[in-house]
Amino acid sequence: MRILGIDPGVATIGFGVVNAEGTRLRMESYGTITTPAGLPLATRLLQIETDMDQLLRDVKPDEVSIEELFFSKNITTGIGVILCTIEKMQLPVYEYTPMQVKQAVVGYGLAEKRQVMDMTRHLLRLKAVPRPDDAADALALAICHARSATSLLRRADPQVKETV
């Protein structure tokens, strides 16, 4: 299964692609989508939509894993545009909280960011922690979903994935 992990934002959106075959994980690619700070928000959001559309077409993921964000009064991230673009492609999308990602990657929901990054490097058998941090976070989200998607609970009941 090819999983696209997304760390949402407006200025920088991290992405990471992981191929999961059972418990084997292989990093395929990672990087960021960026938008210039001086542009109006609407222009930046349009750029995010265009770049996400192209990324989804290039990567052809089976499923997408994204960080669940909690909004205050003002939604200032591009997560709405990202989710909408994924939905247009009719791809299954799964949201995970930072605590769920830490639990899945490190085994401890209150792990520090450095621990998650080091474990991401280890699990994907990489020589160094991926940079920038947004890309490393996206890979951790993909790992989190891979571990959730291959759980015995999900295999026993395919409907479990819809409640994650």
Side-chain angles (χ1 to χ4, degrees), residues 98-110:
M99 186 175 276
Q100 288 172 312
V101 175
K102 292 173 182 181
Q103 179 67 40
V105 175
V106 178
Y108 177 57
L110 298 176

Side-chain angles (χ1 to χ4, degrees), residues 5 19 24 26 29 38 40 47 89 92 113 126 138 143 148 155:
N19 192 308
R24 280 183 51 138
R26 183 174 44 84
S29 65
Q47 185 63 53
M89 298 286 225
K113 187 174 184 79
L126 305 174
I143 292 168
S148 170
R155 280 188 268 152

Side-chain angles (χ1 to χ4, degrees), residues 36-135:
L39 295 177
L41 180 59
T43 304
R44 293 173 87 180
L45 294 175
L46 180 60
Q47 185 63 53
I48 289 169
E49 193 267 340
T50 302
D51 291 349
M52 278 301 304
D53 184 77
Q54 189 61 53
L55 177 65
L56 292 167
R57 290 178 192 284
D58 291 347
V59 169
K60 296 177 180 59
D62 298 308
E63 298 182 350
V64 180
S65 172
I66 191 167
E67 183 177 349
E68 181 179 301
L69 298 178
F70 299 95
F71 303 111
S72 59
K73 292 179 186 173
N74 298 318
I75 297 176
T76 57
T77 68
I79 192 167
V81 171
I82 294 167
L83 290 172
C84 203
T85 306
I86 295 166
E87 183 64 24
K88 282 195 302 189
M89 298 286 225
Q90 299 180 337
L91 292 167
V93 62
Y94 301 87
E95 295 184 58
Y96 297 95
T97 65
M99 186 175 276
Q100 288 172 312
V101 175
K102 292 173 182 181
Q103 179 67 40
V105 175
V106 178
Y108 177 57
L110 298 176
E112 295 190 20
K113 187 174 184 79
R114 181 90 243 136
Q115 292 172 295
V116 176
M117 293 178 131
D118 285 340
M119 196 62 175
T120 297
R121 180 197 56 75
H122 174 74
L123 291 170
L124 296 175
R125 295 177 294 288
L126 305 174
K127 292 180 181 178
V129 172
R131 296 284 180 220
D133 289 356
D134 305 279

